[in-house]
Structure formats: structure tokens, C-alpha cells
Amino acid sequence: MRTTFQGSIVAMVTPFKDGRVDEAKLRELVEFHVTSGTDGIVPCGTTGESPTLSHDEHKRVVEIVVETARGRLPVIAGTGSNSTAEAIDLTRHAAKAGASGALVVNPYYNKPTQEGLYQHFRAVAECADLPIILYNIAGRTAINVETDTLARLARDCKSLVGVKEASGSLDQMTQVILACGPDFSVLSGDDNLTLPLMSVGGRGVISVIANIVPRETVEMTHAALAGDWKHAREMHLKLFPLSRAVFIETNPIPVKEAMAMMGMVEPEFRLPMCRMGAANRERLRTVLVQHRRTRICTWPRRSRRPATLPSSRTRVRWRDSASSGFPSAPIPRGPSGVTACSSSSPLPTRASGTSAWPRAKGRGP
């Protein structure tokens, strides 16, 4: 029986400050996701700007995330490369650091054949005792892992436990589910397709929007896994505008800008990634306001314990450990009690006793 990864797994941003990885902020983000009930964390993926991390920085980020998570949720380290030897080195390091799994992207730029893809992924899967999730994203790598190749890998490599499917094709995803069997986790790589994929047998999402709405992403995926399709559909429609907004420019630019508006990180990137254009920043801000992020600042107080799962909800398990599930408590504000914003484009701030965001008529705070 393969290891199962499911639910809401966040593709985590890498926070920078003054050109360096902000290690303190990175630890805060991990704690935030533990408290929010997130089902797993992926450091050093596309959203984590892995192409602009040095090898030492990449390995250090993985070590910090594993160390901070302390086994409270799985850490699936991004270890992909267009060099098989480099992918093997990063995967072995992730295993040594104590990661729960590795996310390995298609080799990019060099455009291998399907046989080359098979040999690449098999070599990585066999290099360490670590569950592997293949990341199929032709839009960034110029090559698609065809279903027959993936099924062959799933048959021959028992450590290959799933795929992050970002082909954008529900038809292809359905073929993968049929070809690879029920114990192979097919996870969405596109937030706007998470529920459609789960409706045909997908197990969850490796999510960008979970960086800013982790509890709602957990709620949607857990509802789908529990068969509560009505509630899952309601959450999908609520999250859909955000799912589109975080891709109005190249990921991770929009989500990092949104996090800056929310006071979570600095809006700092490494070239060739850069700040979002002013017009798109306003579009993004409008979507955030419309989402009614009343309790927008996300930081759990250091003394606060994670909220518990109400007994009426169904627990969704990773391996043999119950996840933290749906939090029932309000999202607390940061130590300053203020909803922070980016310096160039301020959001409404919170005065004493008031909300930072417009309140919908007839609804509570």
C-alpha cells in the first residue's frame, strides 16, 4: 500500500528580506500552516522560487521547514531539476533532512523523450527511501508526461506515490486516475480545477491560494474527501475568484503580493521575478476585498494552540495520523492588531474595534 498524500497541501512561498531568505519569517509561515490545519507543505517548489535559490539556500530552506514542522504535518520537499544527477542530490538531501516526501518536476528546457522522462524519474525514485510525487506541468517545462509513461512509472516504481497534475486537462487527469489505480494520489496543480478533479477521484491539491486562505482550502478538500459535495461546491465557488486572481501574472508574483497586502511577508522577489504592475495590483486588491477577508491578518499568536476539529466533522487522515481538520476559532490578528499592507498600495487598516474590510449586510464580523 502506497503512502497517501491528500487534502490541502500548500506550495509555500519563500520569504526574502534584503536579498536573503528570511528564516524567521519562514518558520512563522510553517507555524501558521500547522495552526491552520494544512495537510502538508511543499517548500522549494515553483511558488517557492526555487530556480533562484542557490543549492545551499535550497537545502537550508528544506531543513528549516522540516525542523519547524516537527512531524506535525508532512513536508514534501521540491527536489526537481533538469539534471538527473542534481535531482538525485536534492532528493537524497531531503530524505536525510527528514522530509516526508519529494516533489519532482519534469526536466525543463532540455525536452527529453518519453523514454528519457521514464529513466529520469525512475532514477530519482530509486535513489532514496522517500515517497515521490511527480509534478507534470508542460506549460513551464515544454514537455508533458504522457499517461502511458506515468502508468509505467507507477507500476515499476513503488516509491512513486502520486502526481501533481498541472496539465490543465481534466480528460488527461481522468485517464491518469484510471491508469494508475486507486492507491495512486492524483493531486491538482491548479486551484481552479481542484474540485472538478476531486469529483472524478483526485485526492486534493498542491495549492497556491492556501498561502492566503489555508483554512478554506482545507475545508473544501476535506468536504470533498468526506463526500459532502454540496459544501465542497459552495467553497469552490467562494474560492474561485481568488484561484483566478493569483494567476493574473506569473506565479508566485500575485500570491506574494497578496501576502504582502495582508502583512504576512515582504513583497520581495529575485529577478527575473519582479513586483506586480500597478493595474494588476489593484485588480488583486479588489478580489481580496470582495472575498471579504474580514479577519485578514493571519498570524496566530505565539501562545495560541491550534483549533480543534469539531466532533461533527469527518477527520481526514494522512498515513495513520489524524489531521487537524477544520478550525472553528476566528483567525487572530498579528501582534500589532493591525492589518498590514504593502507600502506602495495600502489596504484599509484596522482602527480599534473596527474591521479592516467592508462587512456584508446582515453578516457578523
Side-chain angles (χ1 to χ4, degrees):
M1 186 70 178
R2 287 184 166 101
T3 299
T4 299
F5 295 108
Q6 61 184 14
S8 174
I9 300 167
V10 64
M12 193 176 182
V13 303
T14 300
F16 297 120
K17 187 174 183 180
D18 301 326
R20 298 177 177 272
V21 174
D22 188 341
E23 295 188 2
K25 187 65 68 175
L26 183 63
R27 294 180 190 276
E28 287 185 25
L29 290 173
V30 174
E31 290 293 344
F32 165 55
H33 285 291
V34 170
T35 301
S36 298
T38 298
D39 295 304
I41 294 179
V42 175
C44 299
T46 306
T47 309
E49 297 177 74
S50 59
T52 57
L53 296 176
S54 70
H55 286 183
D56 288 344
E57 287 176 323
H58 185 123
K59 292 177 179 180
R60 178 61 178 156
V61 167
V62 171
E63 290 165 0
I64 289 171
V65 173
V66 170
E67 176 187 316
T68 307
R70 301 198 308 277
R72 293 173 291 173
L73 79 175
V75 176
I76 306 163
T79 63
S81 172
N82 60 349
S83 162
T84 304
E86 185 174 299
I88 286 173
D89 176 62
L90 292 173
T91 302
R92 284 175 173 165
H93 171 266
K96 183 178 179 181
S100 309
L103 180 70
V104 184
V105 72
N106 303 355
Y108 39 87
Y109 186 73
N110 39 16
K111 296 180 68 174
T113 63
Q114 293 298 308
E115 180 61 28
L117 288 171
Y118 173 83
Q119 293 188 27
H120 169 83
F121 285 115
R122 181 163 186 170
V124 175
E126 292 177 348
C127 79
D129 184 17
L130 193 67
I132 302 294
I133 297 175
L134 188 152
Y135 181 12
N136 188 23
I137 180 165
R140 283 186 180 262
T141 63
I143 192 74
N144 180 50
V145 180
E146 302 293 343
T147 301
D148 289 347
T149 303
L150 188 54
R152 182 183 170 198
L153 283 163
R155 182 187 68 239
D156 296 346
C157 306
K158 297 308 178 186
S159 61
L160 183 67
V161 300
V163 60
K164 177 183 177 181
E165 250 295 346
S167 65
S169 169
L170 192 60
D171 181 88
Q172 177 169 309
M173 298 176 201
T174 305
Q175 290 182 46
V176 169
I177 290 168
L178 290 171
C180 295
D183 64 340
F184 189 80
S185 292
V186 180
L187 302 164
S188 178
D190 298 293
D191 282 290
N192 60 344
L193 291 178
T194 300
L195 186 60
L197 174 59
M198 295 188 76
S199 73
V200 296
R203 305 298 289 270
V205 61
I206 297 181
S207 171
V208 175
I209 63 169
N211 281 285
I212 54 177
V213 284
R215 294 179 177 185
E216 289 155 297
T217 311
V218 167
E219 189 171 345
M220 180 186 70
T221 55
H222 284 206
L225 288 168
D228 186 353
W229 297 107
K230 180 177 183 294
H231 185 58
R233 183 170 61 251
E234 291 170 351
M235 294 304 301
H236 168 74
L237 294 174
K238 178 181 180 181
L239 293 170
F240 190 74
L242 275 180
S243 298
R244 289 176 58 83
V246 295
F247 288 96
I248 57 178
E249 289 189 11
T250 304
N251 180 50
I253 294 171
V255 72
K256 216 171 191 182
E257 291 278 3
M259 293 173 75
M261 293 176 189
M262 296 163 65
M264 298 176 70
V265 298
E266 295 294 326
E268 186 173 327
F269 303 87
R270 284 183 175 174
L271 290 172
M273 295 290 103
C274 63
R275 293 293 306 274
M276 177 180 272
N280 279 340
R281 196 177 300 133
E282 291 308 311
R283 288 176 61 194
L284 177 62
R285 182 191 324 283
T286 299
V287 174
L288 287 172
V289 172
Q290 290 174 345
H291 189 71
R292 207 172 74 51
R293 293 290 298 154
T294 306
R295 304 177 182 93
I296 189 168
C297 194
T298 51
W299 297 111
R301 301 185 190 280
R302 294 186 184 278
S303 61
R304 186 179 179 84
R305 294 180 179 178
T308 57
L309 181 71
S311 58
S312 61
R313 297 284 190 182
T314 301
R315 292 181 184 268
V316 178
R317 297 180 179 271
W318 174 78
R319 291 182 180 174
D320 295 321
S321 301
S323 71
S324 48
F326 308 147
S328 57
I331 299 174
R333 294 185 174 272
S336 64
V338 175
T339 299
C341 59
S342 63
S343 58
S344 61
S345 49
L347 285 167
T349 54
R350 176 182 183 268
S352 178
T354 65
S355 171
W357 293 90
R359 186 178 300 173
K361 291 183 179 179
R363 297 187 181 183

